[in-house]
Each structure stands twice: as C-alpha cells, then as structure tokens.
Amino acid sequence: MENHRQHQQKLSDGGEVRYMQKFRLYETYSKFYMIGRDKSRTYWKVLKIDRLEPSELNISEDSTVFSETESSDILRRIHEGNKPTGGLKFVTTCYGIIGFIKFLGPYYMLLITKRKKIGTICGHNIYAITKSQMITVPHIIMLSKMAYSNDENRYKKLLCSVDLTRDFFFSYSYHIMHSLQKNLSANNPPGLLPYETLFVWNEYLTRGIRNTLQNTSWTVALVHGFFKQVEFSISDRKIILTIIARRSRHFAGTRYLKRGVNEKGRVANDVETEQIVFADAHDGDPMQISSAVQIRGSIPLFWSQEASPLNMKPDIILSKKDQKFEATQLHFENLVKRYGNPIVILNLIKTREKKPRETILGVEFANAVRFINKNCGEIHLRFFDWDLHQHSRCSKATDVLTKLRRVAADALKLTGIFYCHVTRRLGGSIEYSNSVNCVDEHSTAKQANSNKANVDEDRVAKDCLHVDESVDYIIEPLMFQSGVLRTNCIDCLDRTNVAQYAYGLAALGHQLETLGFFESSNIDLDDPIAMEIMALYESMGDTLALQYGGSGAHNKIFSEKKGQWKAATQSQEYIRSFQRYYSNTYLDGNKQKAINLFLGHFQPQQGKPALWELDSDQYCTVGKHGPSSVDSNVRSTIRRSLSDGSILCENDTTIRSMEHINCQHSGKSDQHSLLEVSPDIRICGSDVCHCRQIYSGEFEDPVEDHICYDEHGNAYDCSDVLDVDWPSSSANSCEEETLERSTFISSKNISNELRAEKTGCTRQSESCTKIRRRGQIEVQLNKDTKFTKSFGRWVNHEDGGCFWSKDC
C-alpha cells in the first residue's frame, strides 16, 4: 500500500514520488483551469472547474500526466477556442487548494497564494501560509441576488475572520498531521487517510473535491497549532530540535464555550505535542532521530462555566448525566487506540479549597479513573494528582520544576520514547510507508517500557521500507513509545504548559542520552539547552493560550526562573488576565461561530435560521434538518456552554453542501471516500477579505439538568490513585491569584484598556466584459498532436488554450 498521495505516479527519474507544489489558475467565460506541476517541472496535470452553475460545484481532472511543452500547448488551444468570449486569462499563482465552501449562494474557492518555509523534517519541507485568497467560482453574470445579500456577505466576513496566516502549517510530502513514530509504523487503521485524522482542520472544506477526484493532488492538509524548529551544537555536532503542537478539530472552540468532554469522548483544548530531535550522520555513523509525544486536554467530564461581565471567576458546574462515565471511558479508549497503554494522567488542579471549585472536578475525575480501571481491563490509567499552584506558592520556581521533572521521569519510564537510525544510500529526502508489513509501534510496548528495544535490523529494514532500486535509505527503529502522558489543569493552558516543559526537558535528556551525546539523561535547569527549550515551550504556551483563551499564557514560573523583575512579571500577569477576561466575555461568541463555520459544524441554508440568530452552537443537525428549536429572544449576553452536544454529529449526517457536488474524474479511483466531520482556530489575510477579530458575545443556552456545586464539597483524599511522594495542598492558580488581588473591573474600563481593532472586510470587485454568448465553444484538437483520445473528449465542447508562461 502506498501513502495518501498514491494517485501520484512514481516516475522513472530515480523512482521518486512526485508531489505537485505550484499551481496557476486561469479563467474563461465558462471554466476555471488550474495547471499544477511538481518541483522538478516534469509532472504536469490539468484541473477543470465549471463556472456556469450558479450553486453547484462541478470539477473534473484529466488523468494524463503532461510534459511542460504539452501543458503550454493545452493553454494555447484553450485560449484560441475561447477568443470570441474573451479568451483565457491568468488569475493567480497558488500553492494549493485549501478547499471549497458554500453559504447561501455560490461556491467559493480558497487558495494559498503565498507561503513561507518554516522548517524541515527528514528532508521534507514544512510551510506556513502567508497569504490566502477567496475566489467566487461561478461567473459574475451567473450569480443570483442571494450572492449579494447581507447574510451572504456576513457569512463571508465571518469565514474571513479565521486567520489562515497564523498558526496553520502544512507539507506536501510529509504527514505533518501524524507523529514521526506513526509515519514510520503500521499503526494507522485500515483505510484511514491523513485527511480523516483529528488534526486536519480543512477536512470539511476539501471533502467534496477529494471524494470526487479520489485523490489529494490539488489540496493541502492544514494543521493548526504551533511549529518551531531551532538548531544548536553539542561537541561541534549540529542538533535540530523541533516542537510541534497539533490542535484537534474535534470539539474545538474557545475557553468558556468548549469545556470538558462531549458524548463521543472528544475533549476541549485537545492538543498533541511532539518533540523531535535530529542528529545528522557523523564519522560513518547513521543519522539518528528521536521523538517524544505528550498531550493536553480538558478534564473528560461533563462540566461547564458561564462567562459573565460581573464575575471573573465563574462557578464550575458539573453535570450528573453520566453516572457510569461512558463518555470518559470513550475518551480514554480513543487515547489507547492512538498511543497505546499506559495512559499517564498528570492532574494539576487544586486538592483543597475553602470554597470548592476545582476540587469538585478533582473528586469526580478521581472517581472516574477508579471506575474505568476497575471495569475496563483494556485501559491502563496511572493517575498523578499534583497541586502545582500550592507547590509554586510554597517553593521557588527551580524547586517546582525539579519536582515536576521527577514526575516526568516516572512517566517516561512507563511510556518510553521513539528512536531510530536512518542510513542513506544515495541521498535525498526520507520517504515513509504505510505498508501493512511495517513494524507495529504498539506491539513493542515491553521494549518501549524498558527503553532498550533491540529490534532485528534486517527485518525492520525489509519490513518498513520498499527495499528496491527506488529506495535510497534504510530506517531502523530501535525504540518505540507506547502510552502517553496526559496533562491537565482547569484551562489546560498555564499550569499545563509548565508541566509540559518539565516533561519536554526530561524527554530531551533521554533523547540526547540515547543519541549518544550525554552519558546521563539529567539536564541541569541552568544549562543553556534547558533555557533554550524553555523559550520554545513558553512560545508554544503563548500561542496555544491565544487560540483557546484569548491571551498569552501566564508564565510566572518561567519569569521567576529567568530572573525577571517581579514587578514587571506581576504587571504582565494583570494585563494578560484582563485580556483573557475581555476576550472570553465579549469576543469569543463570534470566534466560536467562525470556527464552527470553517469546520463545517454549521452549514447555512435558505429558509433556516442564520448562524448569528442561534442562541448557542448546539445545532448538531442544522445543516441538513435545521435546528430543533430556536430561541426567538436572541440576546448578546454570555450564555453557558455545556460540554455535551456542542459539536456537529460526526459520521451521523451528510453535509448538505457536499450533496450538490457533481464532478467527473477521467482517471481511476485510488482512494477511499472521506466521510467524517469534526471541528478550532485563530481568526484572515486574503485578497478578498482583510478582516481582523471582530466578535460579539452571543453564547449558548443554559441546561437545567446541570447542578452547581459552588457552595458544597469538602477536601478529599485520593491516595489510592496517587503516585507521588510529596503531599498536595491548595490555593488558586497563578491567574486566579492575580484576579483575587484586583478590584472589580467594569466592562467599560476593560474596553478602554483593550481596543478591539475593527477593520472592514473589503470585497474584491469582479470585473468582466459583457458577454452575450453563453454557449460553450467547441474545440477541435490537431489530429497530429500526441494528446490522448480521452483528453480530446474531455476538452471537446468545452473551452479551448492561451499564451504560455514559463512561470506555469
């Protein structure tokens, strides 16, 4: 079995797989033509998009692989055949299709028009988007009045508020949505393609074209989160350190609007963090690669908080609906499926409080872990309860990090890390395979736990790679990670990020020891390498906190460790608390709506309530059947968001807009249909819309079957599920301590301090010559040309070609 771009042919030039990376879009009166090519300019293909359908999407692709000369001749002939209606016109250069979307009127095509390289993994380039463009698919004369309606423009503005130039990244040849170990193993479920994974954010936008063409040649898979790569030297040898954070699209959203778990076991703020260490070949030794994966996610219970302008510390509301912890069990079953056993839980919330808030969840979470361990033998949960805030109040930053690193070291002993050798034969990038014969990463759990796996090198080389003339490398996996550390606090932002840094530092020590750079896995907290990785995790924490919480992370421990002036640190903590409060109270409503629209959780439909008319985002089937009920008295006040039911039902309904796609593919179908829905993002820089984050506060309805335990609860002892040597007390998180010292803050004062930048969203004007002819131009291909008969039939009665540009 080949990888997810199996439709792309292995050409005779060294057997290298070709990936189209650059595209040029042209238009005629009745069609869009996209010409794509690979980096070496030897692999050219043609895509055709119909422009005469006002509300449907018709796409077709010729299966023939053309040469550069043939592709230029095709454009010339199309131009000549369409001269009576204006010929063929160049529209834009792009670097991949983000997807297609429809609101109430026409379809729109989203393109990457500028990109930048942000890193490399095993020779595969990783890119970020620097500019995107939204293009209306139908010709301007085919547009109905609905295309110019206020609702249509409002939907466009809402979509444009998703800023694709921030924290989105992709690769043409590397499965960036998968961990390094998964890319080099056979643990992918049969038929599961990269776009179906939980970390591809444009799965919904690309579903129509992928299902029609049965390939992903023209689209790119966008991952949302964080990517950073740095280089440093040890003993004059270059080390490349990469930190990748992948945010799940399932149950995605903002801080108070997405909490806990939903009925399918998906949790809010679900982020996978991977730390990759790469050492190049040296003195005849092979290249060495190691990775360690950890995750964060909301406490997997049904709970919520109701944001309010009058309360900066909302009460925690715990639902009694799931007495048997079925959703919690589904969540951990999914983690075992993804990472194997054991699942190590590091719970950082408070263990004692005068006024119970976090302890409400702590007691129930411990009960859930006990219940699952007792009743589900296939799930192995290890529960570490560690009150980070209490330790930070009683100890210095160095002591806190030292203790956390001991906890991380215990977790590493249970899960292990991934480690492999890579030997190059001829050079070039390292390809990977999803072959069913590859080594199963979870079948080596015992080897991973001992951290000393010795896999038969010849067997691994033959099983994991297609050992033939086309392969110029040998990969030898020697260790596998089985299981994962799952860290949480209340928001899974500030305290969680400190703990993830401690784990990352401990893992880096093990990785460098395994690669042969250190004799011990212990890295001193004052070592320059420790400070370098602290800066990376601090940057990652700020990025993830902005996406979910609306402000940078509270980095009190990091600031203390770096010796920053205490007054400056306190001032920064106040500002970030105010920013987070303002964003959660006044901005997150529209941000959540934009996320739901981008991810396909809401599909607009004529005759049904608009997205902004709904009082919550619990409109699971609104795209097809409409909402079951809508509150007529829609208010812009903050409403409680419950963790259950706030996500579009996955696999249960067919996206309405995709039902209207009628496309044709002249080649063979090489891939399975991709039929899964799910949803989180930061909000666009495009040629059409230059919108910033303009939100209002329209939130979700309260549900009456939830009980507030604000005035109840006692201190509890979970000693039977703990695995730590030091006791835990309580207090407040760093953020809450800041808020407790502050006086009442009015919304007026906040708005004066933090001005939301309001930038209008400008529509790109579309100009064209008045065309009276609406019929299609018949094209007669030269009988002496080398084009196939299928291509002739494909072009016949369509548009016919143009001046050729060398940039194509």
Side-chain angles (χ1 to χ4, degrees), residues 237 277-279 286-290 419-422 514-517:
R237 288 188 61 186
V277 177
F278 176 86
M287 292 183 294
Q288 301 178 84
I289 309 174
S290 176
Y419 170 60
C420 70
H421 286 173
V422 180
T514 304
L515 268 61
F517 290 94

Side-chain angles (χ1 to χ4, degrees), residues 659-676:
E659 293 175 346
H660 296 289
I661 301 178
N662 300 318
C663 309
Q664 300 170 352
H665 177 51
S666 57
K668 296 182 180 180
S669 299
D670 296 326
Q671 292 190 1
H672 300 285
S673 297
L674 308 177
L675 299 173
E676 186 184 25

Side-chain angles (χ1 to χ4, degrees), residues 432-444:
Y432 47 89
S433 172
N434 286 334
S435 171
V436 294
N437 295 321
C438 284
V439 175
D440 189 330
E441 55 182 310
H442 293 162
S443 67
T444 58

Side-chain angles (χ1 to χ4, degrees), residues 480-513:
F480 290 87
Q481 176 175 338
S482 180
V484 71
L485 173 65
R486 184 195 192 278
T487 307
N488 72 266
C489 50
I490 291 297
D491 295 323
C492 301
L493 296 177
D494 313 319
R495 288 173 284 183
T496 295
N497 202 61
V498 174
Q500 289 207 326
Y501 158 68
Y503 180 86
L505 182 61
L508 181 62
H510 282 270
Q511 289 173 300
L512 293 177
E513 180 188 24

Side-chain angles (χ1 to χ4, degrees), residues 457-496:
E457 296 182 1
D458 293 335
R459 179 181 64 83
V460 172
K462 293 178 181 179
D463 288 347
C464 269
L465 301 169
H466 303 287
V467 183
D468 54 29
E469 295 300 324
S470 65
V471 178
D472 58 0
Y473 57 88
I474 297 176
I475 299 178
E476 304 169 5
L478 302 176
M479 295 181 183
F480 290 87
Q481 176 175 338
S482 180
V484 71
L485 173 65
R486 184 195 192 278
T487 307
N488 72 266
C489 50
I490 291 297
D491 295 323
C492 301
L493 296 177
D494 313 319
R495 288 173 284 183
T496 295

Side-chain angles (χ1 to χ4, degrees), residues 378-390:
E378 297 180 356
I379 303 177
H380 305 150
L381 304 180
R382 298 295 299 273
F383 193 94
F384 288 75
D385 208 350
W386 205 78
D387 189 340
L388 174 58
H389 181 69
Q390 177 63 20

